[in-house]
Amino acid sequence: MLNIVVNSVYVVINALVLTYLNAIVMQGMPIQMFPVALFGSFLPCRVVGYVVSLAWARPAEGIARRLMNDPEPQGR
């Protein structure tokens, strides 16, 4: 459940930054078009964010456990 919250925050920040860089900086769109561009790119950013997050959840947990010397819970 915590992964959903963390991923949602990550996706919002990622979408804001990447949309600004793509639409305003690289494409030269006026700043008034930013909300439209953000609306168009939010869903793809969210899908990619969740796919990456779900794919890396177990490896990231394993790395964190090794770094902190935390044993894996019994029953897994």
Side-chain angles (χ1 to χ4, degrees), residues 23-38:
I24 308 303
V25 175
M26 295 176 72
Q27 302 296 322
M29 295 175 103
I31 195 71
Q32 294 85 359
M33 293 302 294
F34 180 72
V36 176
L38 182 62

Side-chain angles (χ1 to χ4, degrees), residues 11 23-24 26 28 30 36 47 51 57 60 65-66 74:
V11 166
I24 308 303
M26 295 176 72
V36 176
V47 169
V51 168
R65 288 191 184 285
R66 280 194 302 277
Q74 299 298 324

